[in-house]
Amino acid sequence: MYTKTIDFSKYSSIRIGQPTQVLMIEKDDLIPKERYLIGGANNLLISPTPPSLMMLSKDFAYIVQEGTMLEVGAAMPSGRIVSYAKKHDMGGFEFCAKLPGTMGGMLAMNAGVKTYEIFNILHSIEINGEWIPKEKINHGYRFAKLGGVATAARFQIKRKYDYSLQSALLKLRINQPSEPSAGSAFKNPQGDSAGRLIEAVGLKGYRKGDMAWSTVHANFLINLGEGTYKDATYLLDLAKEKVKAQFGILLQEEIKLL
């Protein structure tokens, strides 16, 4: 293992943070328990005082086929997974198209689009060096309790990449803003939409400093230039407070605050 300085104001998708020392884990390293594991930082909001961080090195960015099973390392970016699936005509990964992040991040939050989620197509996950069937992992909408560090995932290979499904799923996401963000800020409550609720309490487009609720999609917290952690958390708290007061619904963050 080795340390690497990562500037989160450039590395994270929301462009907030500062240069931070991150421990890089290599294959066969003993993984520390006291550090927080990060991936592509696509759903992270890094504070000025984050916990001790670690990241899987390129040793874990691989894809191999073993018989009817596909194994994907946890550091593998989603874009390269989709490219592999297309090249080898494998179905199931269509929803990953233009879904930012790494395999590890997708596993940790059961990432997906609508009803298409990573756990739907998953066979098992390597956690702390042991392969665990997905049925033994507590998971649901945008969460998975892995109980350790996921280093790889396995999928039963199925045929035919469905381009029409990919096109339909991409159309569902055309209303997402282009400015730096960390994706959906809140999980959708049962039977409702966080974006609708935030808009209904009058916060769509509302700005604090250089952070704002997007005018394109109210559930996206966007950075208009020099956004700060303080202004971002102010807007998150304000949305939770107003939605709770008006609708009695407590919004839950999908974005991870460190």
Side-chain angles (χ1 to χ4, degrees):
M1 58 181 74
Y2 60 96
T3 57
K4 181 178 179 180
T5 301
I6 293 178
D7 185 352
F8 284 95
S9 70
K10 295 183 176 69
Y11 181 73
S12 70
S13 62
I14 200 168
R15 302 290 187 262
I16 288 176
Q18 56 283 319
T20 304
Q21 288 284 303
V22 178
L23 186 68
M24 304 298 295
I25 307 299
E26 296 175 290
K27 200 156 182 63
D28 300 323
D29 280 345
L30 191 63
I31 299 175
K33 290 182 178 176
E34 72 280 2
R35 285 179 176 259
Y36 187 94
L37 183 70
I38 62 167
N42 289 287
N43 69 327
L44 293 185
L45 186 53
I46 304 278
S47 78
T49 54
S52 297
L53 302 174
M54 62 180 171
M55 185 186 294
L56 298 177
S57 73
K58 288 180 181 177
D59 289 356
F60 297 92
Y62 66 87
I63 300 182
V64 292
Q65 288 186 54
E66 294 178 355
T68 60
M69 206 66 72
L70 185 74
E71 184 176 319
V72 182
M76 197 67 177
S78 56
R80 287 172 63 191
I81 297 167
V82 172
S83 295
Y84 188 94
K86 287 177 179 176
K87 183 179 178 182
H88 297 274
D89 202 23
M90 294 177 182
F93 295 96
E94 294 86 357
F95 73 92
C96 298
K98 292 190 166 50
L99 199 66
T102 59
M103 174 53 69
M106 290 196 290
L107 295 171
M109 65 177 295
N110 190 17
V113 180
K114 300 296 183 185
T115 57
Y116 293 87
E117 302 173 329
I118 199 75
F119 265 76
N120 293 357
I121 60 171
L122 186 66
H123 176 273
S124 52
I125 306 177
E126 186 181 37
I127 300 172
N128 296 346
E130 182 185 352
W131 284 99
I132 313 287
K134 74 167 180 186
E135 293 79 15
K136 292 191 175 180
I137 299 168
N138 183 11
H139 66 278
Y141 172 65
R142 299 299 172 266
F143 85 89
K145 295 185 178 175
L146 301 180
V149 173
T151 47
R154 283 179 179 158
F155 304 86
Q156 191 78 43
I157 294 170
K158 71 170 197 170
R159 284 302 154 198
K160 209 122 180 60
Y161 190 89
D162 189 339
Y163 286 89
S164 61
L165 174 60
Q166 175 190 294
S167 178
L169 293 175
L170 284 174
K171 280 177 184 170
L172 294 174
R173 310 215 306 271
I174 57 172
N175 67 333
Q176 294 183 359
S178 58
E179 296 91 349
S181 80
S184 298
F186 295 107
K187 299 175 185 180
N188 286 325
Q190 187 75 39
D192 210 334
S193 133
R196 186 197 77 80
L197 293 168
I198 294 167
E199 186 169 352
V201 298
L203 289 180
K204 188 174 187 178
Y206 188 87
R207 180 171 178 171
K208 177 82 163 68
D210 264 2
M211 298 303 300
W213 290 111
S214 172
T215 56
V216 176
H217 190 313
N219 193 27
F220 278 71
L221 189 60
I222 58 171
N223 186 345
L224 298 168
E226 301 296 323
T228 65
Y229 178 83
K230 186 178 179 182
D231 289 342
T233 52
Y234 172 87
L235 290 176
L236 290 168
D237 291 342
L238 182 65
K240 287 165 77 171
E241 180 187 311
K242 284 185 171 287
V243 169
K244 183 76 167 67
Q246 190 166 327
F247 296 100
I249 295 170
L250 182 60
L251 291 174
Q252 286 187 306
E253 282 95 349
E254 187 168 316
I255 190 173
K256 305 285 185 197
L257 279 72
L258 295 184

